[in-house]
Amino acid sequence: MQWMIASDLHGSAYYARALAEAFAREGADRLVLLGDLLYHGPRNDLPREYAPKEVIPLLNGLGDRLLCVRGNCDSEVDQMVLTFPILADYAVLALGERLVYCTHGHVWNRENLPPLRPGDLLLHGHTHVPAWAPFGAGNLCLNPGSLAIPKEGSPHSYMTIQDNQILWKTLEGDTYHALVL
């Protein structure tokens, strides 16, 4: 199974369309969204083409292939307009012998770890900065960066995971970092 992982769309219709195009291009089986889907939040500038009402039908159209977790900018009112669940604090995926703990990152992160076993992966967004950092007993912290509001000079980006290979890609599909587990 191929997973595509993205985070921090923040209501940008422009980047929601680019995400849908990248998802189709990748041919991934499922899309994991790590939160902050519709609202830009009080600490962020408005993203390009900020239009949550345009993002809603784009995401709802992908709803049967989405797995989402709640970001710090997501709320019950967002859930009322989306046809797929977005309010879970975390999700857990199996990747071979490892578990991937998916969360937004504002609660569970490297400073406040969820229950992980040696070799498990912590996957979160929130910082808007791509990351691949080892910690603990063979654990990895992974972050796809942000689709709409990247920070620290990072690209508008997402990740793919298939088998034991993880790729960080620009929205245009160019790989800029690869990791083999």
Side-chain angles (χ1 to χ4, degrees):
M1 174 169 287
Q2 182 182 6
W3 296 89
M4 182 174 166
I5 297 98
S7 191
D8 296 283
L9 184 56
H10 289 290
S12 169
Y14 178 87
Y15 290 108
R17 288 189 299 273
L19 169 66
E21 291 169 9
F23 184 56
R25 181 181 63 240
E26 290 291 344
D29 300 292
R30 298 287 178 143
L31 174 58
V32 177
L33 294 177
L34 299 175
D36 287 358
L37 303 179
L38 300 178
Y39 180 56
H40 65 89
R43 297 180 300 169
N44 295 311
D45 292 332
L46 289 175
R48 182 174 179 179
E49 290 184 32
Y50 180 69
K53 286 184 179 180
E54 292 179 34
V55 174
I56 293 165
L58 287 167
L59 293 179
N60 282 340
L62 298 171
D64 64 339
R65 293 175 282 163
L66 295 178
L67 176 66
C68 299
V69 296
R70 179 182 61 87
N72 58 304
C73 293
D74 298 322
S75 70
E76 289 81 6
V77 72
D78 299 328
Q79 183 63 83
M80 292 171 65
V81 297
L82 296 169
T83 59
F84 51 91
I86 67 162
L87 295 177
D89 288 326
Y90 66 91
V92 178
L93 309 175
L95 185 63
E97 297 294 316
R98 299 172 182 247
L99 289 183
V100 181
Y101 192 97
C102 306
T103 190
H104 181 62
H106 64 295
V107 175
W108 302 108
N109 50 56
R110 283 190 52 198
E111 287 73 42
N112 186 36
L113 292 172
L116 299 173
R117 295 189 44 88
D120 288 346
L121 308 177
L122 173 60
L123 174 61
H124 70 77
H126 184 59
T127 65
H128 298 222
V129 179
W132 45 89
F135 69 96
N139 302 94
L140 281 170
C141 182
L142 308 172
N143 188 322
S146 174
L147 288 166
I149 310 172
K151 296 184 178 175
E152 297 184 14
S154 62
H156 299 269
S157 60
Y158 63 91
M159 293 169 46
T160 60
I161 300 177
Q162 186 170 18
D163 300 322
N164 64 341
Q165 185 173 49
I166 304 171
L167 302 175
W168 281 258
K169 296 185 174 187
T170 66
L171 269 177
E172 294 76 28
D174 298 324
T175 299
Y176 65 90
H177 186 72
L179 181 67
V180 177
L181 299 176

